[in-house]
Amino acid sequence: MRGVRMKEETAANVRQAAEEENVALSVHAPYYINLNSAEEEKIEASIERIYQSARIGALCGASSIVFHPAYYLGQSSEKVMEKVNGLLEGLTSRLTDEGIDVVLRPETTGKATQFGSLEETLMMATDIEGVMPCIDFSHLHARSCGEYNTMEEFRSVLESVENALGRDGLDNMHCHVSGIAYGEKGEKNHLVLQESDLNYSDMMTAFREFHIKGLVICESPNLEDDALLLKKTFSN
């Protein structure tokens, strides 16, 4: 997915349907984004893809725009952070100036080559007005080659969110969950929950314990059944 192709008329229809069905919407920006590219034209194209996602997403009634921010490309976390933050500050200012009322949500990423650890994602949200995290628990699990999968680790993630962003961070969560296959380099592909080792039951217990609010989006290959499974597990 390289661009945003939805027309304004279609976006208006999506908004009407969502409002009639009382469905909350969010947008995942195109995957071809790297705010740390060595090529200036690729950075500009990345910014434009996030901007267009925000513009059309707002017309749809979506409040959150999720994206994978960058790759390290052999650089330090601090250097990438400085570059990405500068670009996001400029973009959030542009969105505010144009009256596009959305929250940009850099996502925790699934591979060690990708900028987007839990700490980095929370730091972006702390540093920039109009930015909040998208916590992809499956990516955290894959990126760490099997960690972030116990009750204590799920609690530690939610505690980190609260420590960085206060109670508002837990009241305005945006999470991704699915089964996931991974290896030494991190994420390989998504799996059906019950065909993976993801401890989603304890995850849902931690969600209840911390009284989180917001959106939990299932990204399973069988998303309808797994979304219902997560809902049932959370409710039990």
Side-chain angles (χ1 to χ4, degrees):
M1 187 171 62
R2 293 179 180 270
V4 180
R5 296 184 173 85
M6 184 179 289
K7 303 300 183 185
E8 293 183 7
E9 182 180 355
T10 303
N13 292 335
V14 169
R15 184 184 192 118
Q16 181 179 351
E19 290 175 351
E20 289 174 355
E21 299 296 331
N22 194 28
V23 173
L25 299 177
S26 73
V27 170
H28 199 304
Y31 292 103
Y32 287 86
I33 287 172
N34 181 10
L35 298 178
N36 189 44
S37 175
E39 301 172 54
E40 187 62 33
E41 62 269 23
K42 289 186 177 179
I43 292 177
E44 292 175 0
S46 296
I47 288 290
E48 184 64 15
R49 287 171 181 139
I50 301 172
Y51 169 77
Q52 291 297 341
S53 298
R55 187 180 70 83
I56 294 297
L59 294 175
C60 289
S63 57
S64 291
I65 311 301
V66 177
F67 60 98
H68 302 165
Y71 290 82
Y72 293 110
L73 301 180
Q75 299 173 16
S76 69
S77 172
E78 292 76 16
K79 185 172 183 179
V80 180
M81 178 74 72
E82 183 179 3
K83 186 171 186 178
V84 170
N85 276 9
L87 292 166
L88 290 181
E89 286 171 357
L91 180 55
T92 55
S93 294
R94 178 184 179 187
L95 294 173
T96 298
D97 290 345
E98 295 185 20
I100 299 174
D101 186 16
V102 296
V103 175
L104 299 184
R105 290 189 181 266
E107 180 179 346
T108 55
T109 50
K111 296 180 180 180
T113 56
Q114 295 173 297
F115 177 76
S117 68
L118 177 64
E119 294 75 18
E120 289 162 347
T121 304
L122 291 176
M123 193 175 297
M124 283 184 277
T126 303
D127 290 347
I128 308 169
E129 186 72 25
V131 171
M132 289 287 280
C134 172
I135 308 296
D136 189 315
F137 283 85
S138 306
H139 282 171
L140 293 179
H141 181 48
R143 182 188 182 98
S144 63
C145 299
E147 297 179 9
Y148 293 100
N149 204 35
T150 66
M151 177 63 79
E152 291 72 22
E153 288 168 323
F154 296 137
R155 285 173 176 154
S156 75
V157 172
L158 298 175
E159 287 168 356
S160 294
V161 171
E162 187 169 23
N163 289 338
L165 301 170
R167 181 65 217 183
D168 185 56
L170 296 179
D171 286 342
N172 191 15
M173 290 282 288
H174 197 293
C175 307
H176 290 174
V177 180
S178 75
I180 198 160
Y182 55 90
E184 292 181 359
K185 296 182 180 180
E187 176 187 13
K188 290 183 176 180
N189 56 274
H190 289 189
L191 298 171
V192 173
L193 281 170
Q194 292 180 316
E195 295 176 2
S196 75
D197 68 352
L198 189 73
N199 183 8
Y200 63 88
S201 180
D202 278 357
M203 186 192 300
M204 294 300 104
T205 300
F207 285 5
R208 289 200 308 272
E209 186 177 298
F210 280 76
H211 305 288
I212 74 165
K213 301 176 184 177
L215 292 181
V216 178
I217 295 178
C218 179
E219 293 192 324
S220 163
N222 186 4
L223 61 89
E224 293 90 349
D225 288 347
D226 272 2
L228 290 172
L229 175 61
L230 289 172
K231 182 178 180 181
K232 180 179 179 181
T233 306
F234 178 83
S235 299
N236 286 345

